[in-house]
Amino acid sequence: QSALTQPPSASGSPGQSVTISCTGTSSDVGGYNYVSWYQQRPGKAPKLMIYEVTKRPSGVPDRFSGSKSDNTASLTVSGLQAEDEADYYCSSFAGGSNYVFGTGTKVTVL
Amino acid sequence: EVQLVESGGGSVQPGGSLRLSCAASGFTFGAFWMHWVRQAPGKGPVWVSRINSDGSSTVHADSVKGRFTISRDNAKSALYLQMNSLRAEDTAVYYCTRDYNKGMDVWGQGTTVTVSS
């Protein structure tokens, strides 16, 4: 199973929006509505930000939103804040109880 | 407080074995599927293994199939990963995670495994 493809970096000024893409195949992203997004700060474990493509766990700000079209999922962070600077990873269920993660995107708040 | 705490990592020579443990607290452990996920230095997370709530069904990534075994003891609220025939490419931080609708909503702090001669 190949890793999902994400852009290496994305950036925006405080208050702006940034959107990160996550491209897979019909065997993972396109085949199931089980895309998740994780935020990881240096030296810390990943934190679940979005699950089932669009749903936010309790406590995650509504500035974070997810979507999907065909084999590509997206995470949008609106109203960027300094605390949003981190690495972001997508993940998808890939059938047969397998899961695949993305290559990761470093978000920089300018 | 919902918490996962991994232990058992360390340095081992190629071909060696290690057993990782994960102690769960703050939730009904036996009601949840669980995963092991690893992350090599400077790389993204990689899913390793999954076990269902009663331990009757397990799945492993192709890269570890036949070498790693996931198991659990619900009476002890504990998750395990037996790792045999370790290779240099198994070097990573290993995380215990809780499944939530095919996402992973709770992560431990990780335990480091280094395979080197």
Side-chain angles (χ1 to χ4, degrees):
Chain A
Q1 196 77 39
S2 299
L4 306 175
T5 301
Q6 298 180 233
S9 63
S11 63
S13 299
Q16 290 186 331
S17 295
V18 65
T19 297
I20 304 165
S21 62
C22 168
T23 302
T25 69
S26 58
S27 296
D28 38 61
V29 174
Y32 307 93
N33 288 321
Y34 289 120
V35 175
S36 303
W37 288 92
Y38 301 87
Q39 177 191 71
Q40 187 175 32
R41 296 193 172 102
K44 300 295 186 181
K47 174 187 175 183
L48 181 66
M49 305 302 283
I50 296 287
Y51 67 100
E52 290 184 19
V53 180
T54 62
K55 298 177 180 178
R56 278 188 313 276
S58 174
V60 172
D62 60 6
R63 302 185 292 104
F64 291 84
S65 62
S67 63
K68 191 186 84 165
S69 177
D70 297 326
N71 296 337
T72 298
S74 298
L75 173 73
T76 297
V77 185
S78 305
L80 263 178
Q81 299 182 5
E83 67 201 48
D84 300 331
E85 189 160 290
D87 293 328
Y88 290 83
Y89 295 94
C90 61
S91 176
S92 175
F93 179 67
S97 287
N98 289 294
Y99 299 77
V100 59
F101 282 87
T103 52
T105 299
K106 182 176 181 60
V107 169
T108 301
V109 181
L110 302 171
Chain B
E1 179 191 5
V2 173
Q3 196 172 11
L4 298 171
V5 179
E6 302 93 338
S7 60
S11 293
V12 62
Q13 293 188 335
S17 298
L18 278 176
R19 188 194 195 206
L20 305 185
S21 298
C22 171
S25 60
F27 66 100
T28 305
F29 178 72
F32 290 87
W33 289 23
M34 299 293 294
H35 303 267
W36 285 100
V37 174
R38 68 185 181 185
Q39 188 170 24
K43 303 293 186 180
V46 174
W47 173 79
V48 174
S49 302
R50 178 235 89 195
I51 188 167
N52 70 345
S53 54
D54 67 5
S56 62
S57 171
T58 63
V59 183
H60 300 274
D62 288 344
S63 58
V64 307
K65 203 170 292 183
R67 300 188 300 123
F68 289 13
T69 302
I70 188 172
S71 62
R72 66 190 297 161
D73 185 336
N74 286 345
K76 295 182 178 179
S77 295
L79 180 72
Y80 305 103
L81 186 68
Q82 178 66 44
M83 304 188 297
N84 299 329
S85 303
L86 282 161
R87 306 167 179 166
E89 54 265 36
D90 296 321
T91 294
V93 175
Y94 283 74
Y95 294 101
C96 164
T97 75
R98 187 177 80 172
D99 187 274
Y100 185 73
N101 293 350
K102 292 183 170 52
M104 299 172 195
D105 68 334
V106 181
W107 294 62
Q109 85 289 351
T111 187
T112 300
V113 172
T114 303
V115 184
S116 174
S117 54

